[in-house]
Amino acid sequence: MKNILLISTGGTLASSQAETGLRPGIGGNSIAERLNGLIRDAQIDVKELFLLDSSNIQPEEWSELAACIHQYRKQYDGIVVIHGTDTMAYTAAALSFALQNIEIPVVLTGSQVSIENTIADATENCRAALHMAASGCPGIFVAFNRKIITGTRASKTRTRSFDAFESIDFPYAARINSRGLVLNPRISHERKGICELRSKFCTDIFVLKLFPGISPDIFRLLKEAGIRGVYVEGFGIGGLPFLRRNIAGAIQEAVRDGMVVVIGSQCLYEGSDYTVYEVGREALGSGAIAIGNMTTEAAVAKLMWAFGQYDDPAMVREIMTVNLLDEMGAPVPDLTE
Ligand code: ASP
């Protein structure tokens, strides 16, 4: 018999139509009742943590959720977190950093349509999440549309379709097909130590999506606003303007002033390599840290987490260059098809 904890936080899966619009109103116990029979030989306990649309789930909720998972992890074989889809990838990345070396599977899931609609995607996604939670494969994951995604690699790529999440530049951790739940044996789940709760996040960061014509003054304004770390989404494989509006120069000044600037790409797939073009090398020369193929969600969560752990920007810089949880680096083969 597997013991699974279902933590509910809200989202569309838990929503009903109100006069003010679709909003979370279905609690965890009511969700669990509807999941009867989706998994055999399992006891499901429920913890109702929040009843929020995930637009309202922020670093304070990440910390509370991480603490709850940390507290209960030894009593369960796996944990399923019901979560809105809109910011689920951010939460999954944040939990990955906060709960490194977790001993059990923690699987976030949600749906595009409320669980009140029995033919839609909620039941199917919960079935996948429950089976992954019972798999014995530790880590933080997202379960959606019969695919299981490593927590630092998930991104919501569609607003309406059931196939709303993708694993970016990384194979699926598992898939559900005619062979059942097929785990990718090449995804490393090796634990490197004990699971310490490190759930402090610092929100003094910013995501800057470049566009042609952007003023370099933005870095000065960010500094004045107390921003300590900036993730710059540059162009293509890696480029920033330096003619007329010298963004590379502005980054150099910001870095000199102690700001941590990390650079990636606006493109969702195939990552960045700032060594290819002159417009990229300028940026590297300015002291920015290239983060390759990290998703924006993982970059945001990691920057907030790193500043939550370390006050010294040099430490944050160092953390941002290290691949902690498969959030960056060369992909491993997909053996789940
Ligand atoms: N707005 C909802 C949320 O993220 C969307 C969903 O769950 O699909 O909470």
Side-chain angles (χ1 to χ4, degrees):
M1 174 74 88
K2 297 277 185 181
N3 286 315
I4 294 174
L5 178 65
L6 182 114
I7 302 177
S8 61
T9 74
T12 293
L13 188 144
S15 287
S16 307
Q17 198 61 48
E19 263 174 34
T20 48
L22 202 57
R23 74 151 192 242
I26 307 172
N29 287 310
S30 181
I31 293 170
E33 270 168 34
R34 294 165 203 254
L35 303 184
N36 253 336
L38 293 188
I39 183 165
R40 283 210 202 122
D41 303 325
Q43 159 72 32
I44 303 176
D45 292 343
V46 175
K47 174 93 189 145
E48 297 190 5
L49 197 59
F50 316 121
L51 206 45
L52 293 172
D53 188 290
S54 76
S55 293
N56 276 321
I57 292 201
Q58 299 172 54
E60 293 80 358
E61 282 74 27
W62 299 346
S63 300
E64 213 177 312
L65 178 56
C68 177
I69 293 169
H70 191 261
Q71 180 187 343
Y72 287 107
R73 74 194 197 285
K74 294 237 166 111
Q75 295 166 38
Y76 291 94
D77 296 294
I79 295 179
V80 170
V81 179
I82 303 295
H83 195 289
T85 61
D86 292 343
T87 66
M88 186 152 61
Y90 290 93
T91 302
L95 292 178
S96 305
F97 294 114
L99 293 165
Q100 291 175 44
N101 297 312
I102 185 96
E103 300 88 343
I104 59 168
V106 174
V107 192
L108 288 85
T109 197
S111 60
Q112 296 280 54
V113 179
S114 167
I115 198 160
E116 283 180 340
N117 184 338
T118 48
I119 198 151
D121 58 338
T123 319
E124 205 49 55
N125 290 344
C126 287
R127 189 198 314 272
L130 288 169
H131 283 263
M132 186 64 191
S135 71
C137 171
I140 310 289
F141 304 98
V142 167
F144 223 85
N145 202 34
R146 300 187 179 203
K147 289 176 283 203
I148 312 294
I149 304 170
T150 296
T152 52
R153 290 292 189 151
S155 191
K156 183 173 178 181
T157 54
R158 289 178 184 80
T159 58
R160 296 173 199 270
S161 312
F162 288 172
D163 198 15
F165 280 83
E166 288 177 53
S167 181
I168 306 302
D169 285 346
F170 203 68
Y172 289 94
R175 280 179 212 261
I176 292 154
N177 58 29
S178 57
R179 291 192 282 143
L181 179 80
V182 184
L183 294 166
N184 185 346
R186 298 291 290 276
I187 301 278
S188 154
H189 300 288
E190 220 178 279
R191 289 182 27 241
K192 296 172 192 118
I194 55 162
C195 177
E196 266 178 71
L197 177 65
R198 296 173 77 191
S199 58
K200 203 166 159 222
F201 295 92
C202 166
T203 55
D204 298 337
I205 71 137
F206 199 79
V207 177
L208 183 65
K209 182 169 186 157
L210 292 190
F211 56 87
I214 187 170
S215 165
D217 287 347
I218 188 72
F219 283 92
R220 187 179 42 79
L221 298 173
L222 291 173
K223 179 83 190 165
E224 282 168 17
I227 295 298
R228 305 177 70 201
V230 179
Y231 169 48
V232 179
E233 284 190 354
F235 300 124
I237 198 167
L240 311 174
F242 60 78
L243 281 185
R244 281 191 305 281
R245 298 175 183 87
N246 189 353
I247 293 291
I251 290 178
Q252 192 161 34
E253 250 171 64
V255 170
R256 227 183 280 134
D257 274 2
M259 192 182 261
V260 176
V261 180
V262 295
I263 46 175
S265 175
Q266 301 184 1
C267 298
L268 190 54
Y269 293 105
E270 300 178 355
S272 54
D273 177 354
Y274 275 79
T275 65
V276 177
Y277 292 99
E278 184 189 22
V279 286
R281 289 192 191 178
E282 284 278 331
L284 284 182
S286 70
I289 300 158
I291 55 170
N293 60 7
M294 206 185 299
T295 63
T296 298
E297 292 90 332
V300 165
K302 192 173 178 182
L303 251 188
M304 283 194 187
W305 179 79
F307 274 113
Q309 309 307 303
Y310 304 102
D311 212 32
D312 180 0
M315 284 300 292
V316 173
R317 255 184 230 119
E318 173 146 3
I319 292 280
M320 293 309 293
T321 59
V322 181
N323 179 23
L324 294 175
L325 293 152
D326 287 329
E327 70 274 16
M328 63 205 286
V332 295
D334 190 343
L335 303 174
T336 62
E337 303 271 12

